[in-house]
Amino acid sequence: MAAGAKTIEGGVRVRWAHPDDFDRERALHLLGGAERARAAGTVNGAQRDRFLLGRMLLRELAADVAETGDIGPGEIEIKASCERCGAEHGRPSIVWPDAAGPPPLASLASCAELVIAAVAPAGSHVGVDIERGRAEASRDAENERRRAVTRLIGGSSRSAIRRWVRTEAVLKADGRGLRVEPGAVSFERGVARIEDGSTRYRIIDLRVEGCLVSVAVADPG
């Protein structure tokens, strides 16, 4: 699988790469102290690689969109403080020198085959999610995977994985994640809403290297 990047609706930029093929030494060099501690405490090697790659992709994207044009990935910090406990496992946010203007808003997602990062212009909350189109080796196991999704969000099992990816993207853009019931997200003509709020989220669907990707961007106002 090859690395790639794309600019989509609303000025959102996405970048992706395979977690088996990236410069781990460079990624480690870019990490801040809290990120290093989190990486060191991640026992599962595949999960650690996805974490490292995601943080590197976010820094690269942020450097690309900096207004001054001369900020390198090494000058950018990624914070991820949890709103509930303060630990570094919350929604990622970008911090950079004041001269670069307001930083973009960010989101990350990964599966076994791909890590993807998204940044949106300041003020536009964004969420990205990814799933393999087919994750299970047997048809029965794959069908059960889809049925499990429909039990959470309803609808047809045929489109279950795409609808789940869209739902996760919306909940990430909202900021509360799975603290909100997935079934509270509704969709109509490419726009999503959460039943306890008024924010509209535009949905952009992609297919990247055989994986289903959805990006949710909150409409301003």
Side-chain angles (χ1 to χ4, degrees):
M1 293 186 183
K6 187 180 182 71
T7 300
I8 58 177
E9 183 181 338
V12 175
R13 298 194 188 191
V14 294
R15 181 171 292 190
W16 60 85
H18 194 284
D20 287 342
D21 185 21
F22 73 102
D23 188 339
R24 290 171 179 80
E25 185 175 345
R26 177 171 181 265
L28 278 167
H29 179 73
L30 291 172
L31 295 185
E35 292 169 308
R36 287 180 181 274
R38 180 173 171 182
T42 303
V43 176
N44 184 290
Q47 291 179 357
R48 184 170 56 250
D49 280 350
R50 293 198 296 269
F51 172 76
L52 293 174
L53 177 55
R55 296 311 174 95
M56 185 172 75
L57 292 174
L58 270 187
R59 285 176 164 88
E60 291 173 345
L61 275 175
D64 286 347
V65 303
E67 292 177 3
T68 60
D70 58 359
I71 292 178
E75 299 174 78
I76 294 166
E77 294 181 64
I78 306 296
K79 302 291 187 181
S81 298
C82 174
E83 295 178 3
R84 289 182 291 177
C85 71
E88 284 292 311
H89 55 224
R91 175 163 59 173
S93 62
I94 293 167
V95 181
W96 63 18
D98 290 342
L105 299 181
S107 186
L108 279 169
S110 68
C111 64
E113 283 84 6
L114 213 64
V115 177
I116 188 162
V119 298
S124 296
H125 288 286
V126 63
V128 64
D129 197 56
I130 185 170
E131 289 280 354
R132 291 178 287 179
R134 182 183 177 92
E136 302 296 340
S138 74
R139 178 176 295 180
D140 287 346
E142 180 62 24
N143 287 340
E144 177 53 36
R145 174 193 181 214
R146 293 168 182 269
R147 284 193 293 268
V149 172
T150 62
R151 287 194 288 269
L152 284 173
I153 60 175
S156 165
S157 62
R158 183 173 184 179
S159 61
I161 304 306
R162 172 59 79 184
R163 289 184 293 106
W164 177 252
V165 172
R166 291 170 180 164
T167 298
E168 283 262 53
V170 170
L171 296 179
K172 287 182 179 181
D174 171 72
R176 291 175 291 172
L178 291 174
R179 284 177 286 163
V180 175
E181 282 290 331
V185 182
S186 62
F187 300 91
E188 184 175 359
R189 297 180 181 179
V191 174
R193 297 176 187 269
I194 300 174
E195 65 182 23
D196 66 354
S198 59
T199 303
R200 291 159 42 96
Y201 298 90
R202 288 169 289 139
I203 305 297
I204 303 101
D205 290 333
L206 305 170
R207 194 174 185 100
V208 180
E209 302 289 352
C211 296
L212 303 181
V213 175
S214 290
V215 180
V217 186
D219 279 343

